[in-house]
Amino acid sequence: PGLKTRKPTMATTSSTWLKLKEVLDELNISRTTFDLWKTDGRAPRCYKLPNGQYRIRRIDFEAWINDLESVVL
């Protein structure tokens, strides 16, 4: 029989997920600013965990940054 592959989870792919604090630090913004952006639909896509914390997929964050750069250029 072939090897079974497990579907990646947040725990097994932690480098692909960013904590909200990491995003705030990267952008040098406050949580209040992020919350305003999120309300306005201008924040990167984020996922709310059952414990209330947010995570952002690195690929979503990078795509969001690239979209911002293309608007400026």
Side-chain angles (χ1 to χ4, degrees):
L3 295 174
K4 290 184 179 181
T5 57
R6 290 185 4 193
K7 187 175 181 180
T9 64
M10 193 175 295
T12 60
T13 59
S14 61
S15 65
T16 63
W17 292 91
L18 299 168
K19 293 181 180 181
L20 182 55
K21 178 160 181 14
E22 294 173 310
V23 171
L24 298 178
D25 290 346
E26 177 78 19
L27 298 173
N28 195 28
I29 62 170
S30 69
R31 171 67 188 259
T32 303
T33 298
F34 184 86
D35 289 341
L36 288 171
W37 289 359
K38 190 171 167 303
T39 300
D40 292 344
R42 296 185 294 150
R45 184 175 181 184
C46 53
Y47 300 83
K48 189 172 187 178
L49 303 178
N51 65 5
Q53 295 180 358
Y54 287 99
R55 294 290 187 274
I56 294 98
R57 288 189 321 168
R58 182 176 302 279
I59 195 166
D60 291 338
F61 180 69
E62 290 174 359
W64 178 79
I65 290 288
N66 288 336
D67 286 346
L68 290 177
E69 289 175 348
S70 66
V71 169
V72 172
L73 300 175

